Amino acid sequence: MTNFPNGDFKEANYNKVYGIGADRYICAHEYIHNNIHSFGINEAFEVLSKTSQKNTLCSIVYEPLKNEIYISFKKDLSKRWKISIIEKTIQSLDGFLSNSKIQFTNEEIFVNDLISLYK
């Protein structure tokens, strides 16, 4: 949804927007509005599920109060990793046979490395 210029429509009703991505923007707005009182990580991934495209490579949800990032690759939102900025860890969260935690350092961690650990 980052390709949708929602700032161009700041004075418009949400369902009157138009252009590439407008349908996803409207869908996301309605889902969030209808679930705002119980909105959390699972609901955020549900929005991403409803609005993802065929070529989506990565879906990310950020929890600012905990400084945690939740991430899924491609359109498989059933497999999620949690990245803790405070603990400097990446752990498998949902959709895996085991729940493992990796301490990250200054070295790189590649997506393929994560996926191969938890197949």
Side-chain angles (χ1 to χ4, degrees), residues 29-47:
H29 186 284
E30 289 175 349
Y31 184 84
I32 293 167
H33 177 77
N34 291 334
N35 294 280
I36 195 66
H37 297 295
S38 62
F39 201 83
I41 301 301
N42 290 331
E43 290 76 18
F45 272 100
E46 183 63 23
V47 169

Side-chain angles (χ1 to χ4, degrees), residues 74-90:
K74 299 196 176 182
K75 288 189 68 154
D76 188 1
L77 300 182
S78 68
K79 289 185 175 139
R80 300 180 200 166
W81 283 268
K82 178 176 83 170
I83 301 168
S84 171
I85 303 302
I86 295 168
E87 295 178 10
K88 297 185 180 177
T89 58
I90 301 173

Side-chain angles (χ1 to χ4, degrees), residues 60-99:
I60 299 172
V61 173
Y62 177 59
E63 171 61 67
L65 297 177
K66 295 180 180 178
N67 213 8
E68 294 174 343
I69 301 163
Y70 299 83
I71 188 168
S72 289
F73 300 107
K74 299 196 176 182
K75 288 189 68 154
D76 188 1
L77 300 182
S78 68
K79 289 185 175 139
R80 300 180 200 166
W81 283 268
K82 178 176 83 170
I83 301 168
S84 171
I85 303 302
I86 295 168
E87 295 178 10
K88 297 185 180 177
T89 58
I90 301 173
Q91 77 179 74
S92 55
L93 191 62
D94 298 321
F96 301 100
L97 296 176
S98 64
N99 184 335

Side-chain angles (χ1 to χ4, degrees), residues 4-15:
F4 180 72
N6 57 349
D8 293 349
F9 299 98
K10 61 184 174 188
E11 301 296 325
N13 191 326
Y14 81 92
N15 60 0

